[in-house]
Amino acid sequence: MVDTCFVEELASAAPVPGGGGASAYVGALAAALASMVGSLTVGKKTYAEVEGEVVHHLEELKGLRSRLIELVDADARAFKPLAAAYRMPKDTPEELAAKQEAIQRALVGATEVPLDIMRAVARVIDHADYLAHHGSRMARSDAGVSAAFARAAVDGASLNVYINAASMDDADRARRVREEASAIASTTRERCDELFDFVVKEVS
């Protein structure tokens, strides 16, 4: 049932997938776990009053799961031109200039994709939080795992933003992406911790 291909590729010496793709995958798992809570809520008489809202959250989470899976591949695609640029020759001033230009161009995508991952995961926690509080109490532990995964996904993706922004010549762009990544990471980390603590209290 479990497809191990991604895990085996991740474990190999291949440059992709890497930490960014893994973060997107973990984010998709966070969305899937939140969806599980919703799916176990729909159709239950106990939760009839919130069923319409739960269905809405399930629809949103479905889109986020798909987006995060897309971002697994997008991260790999964004890294390939960067890896190729770093392999370019630099024996002459012209070659060095071309290499630097290619690197700087590729760094844009290499920072935007992990930022997209962070943005998507930040939205996942909105839905996980609602479902943890209003969804099936029998599945609250899964909402807690969703929060733990979302935190890891955001933190992991942020590292890819920081490492690539550090190589940018465009100081303004580097500052903007670092600030956005830090803001998303800080806010999402706090929300994930709050949700996780809530679940611990509820299930203990």
Side-chain angles (χ1 to χ4, degrees):
M1 182 177 176
V2 177
D3 183 357
T4 61
C5 292
F6 179 80
V7 174
E8 293 304 317
E9 289 176 13
L10 191 63
S12 75
V16 292
S23 296
Y25 193 84
V26 171
L29 292 177
L33 281 162
S35 295
M36 179 181 177
V37 180
S39 296
L40 289 169
T41 303
V42 172
K44 304 292 174 60
K45 291 181 180 179
T46 306
Y47 306 102
E49 289 186 3
V50 296
E51 181 161 321
E53 189 67 19
V54 170
V55 169
H56 166 72
H57 286 284
L58 283 171
E59 290 171 352
E60 292 293 312
L61 283 164
K62 182 178 180 181
L64 288 167
R65 287 200 311 274
S66 296
R67 177 61 179 151
L68 284 160
I69 291 299
E70 288 172 359
L71 287 167
V72 173
D73 292 330
D75 185 74
R77 289 195 302 271
F79 182 77
K80 285 180 180 177
L82 183 60
Y86 278 124
R87 291 194 301 267
M88 290 173 65
K90 54 179 180 179
D91 299 326
T92 67
E94 292 78 16
E95 286 178 345
L96 180 59
K99 179 175 183 173
Q100 285 300 109
E101 182 180 349
I103 289 172
Q104 293 305 311
R105 191 166 53 245
L107 283 169
V108 174
T111 53
E112 278 302 316
V113 172
L115 266 177
D116 281 344
I117 294 168
M118 296 180 74
R119 293 168 185 141
V121 175
R123 291 172 58 199
V124 169
I125 204 64
D126 292 337
H127 306 294
D129 185 75
Y130 177 88
L131 292 165
H133 285 83
H134 302 284
S136 173
R137 287 185 292 274
M138 297 295 292
R140 273 201 176 131
S141 61
D142 298 297
V145 180
S146 175
F149 281 17
R151 191 188 200 282
V154 164
D155 282 344
S158 72
L159 295 177
N160 285 266
V161 175
Y162 298 143
I163 195 170
N164 289 308
S167 298
M168 283 183 165
D169 291 340
D170 186 336
D172 287 339
R173 179 186 287 274
R175 175 185 53 77
R176 288 196 304 272
V177 297
R178 278 196 300 264
E179 286 179 353
E180 182 178 358
S182 294
I184 295 173
S186 177
T187 300
T188 306
R189 192 179 297 128
E190 181 178 351
R191 296 194 65 204
C192 289
D193 288 348
E194 288 175 354
L195 177 52
F196 189 87
D197 290 344
F198 165 77
V199 171
V200 168
K201 291 175 183 175
E202 290 295 313
V203 302
S204 298

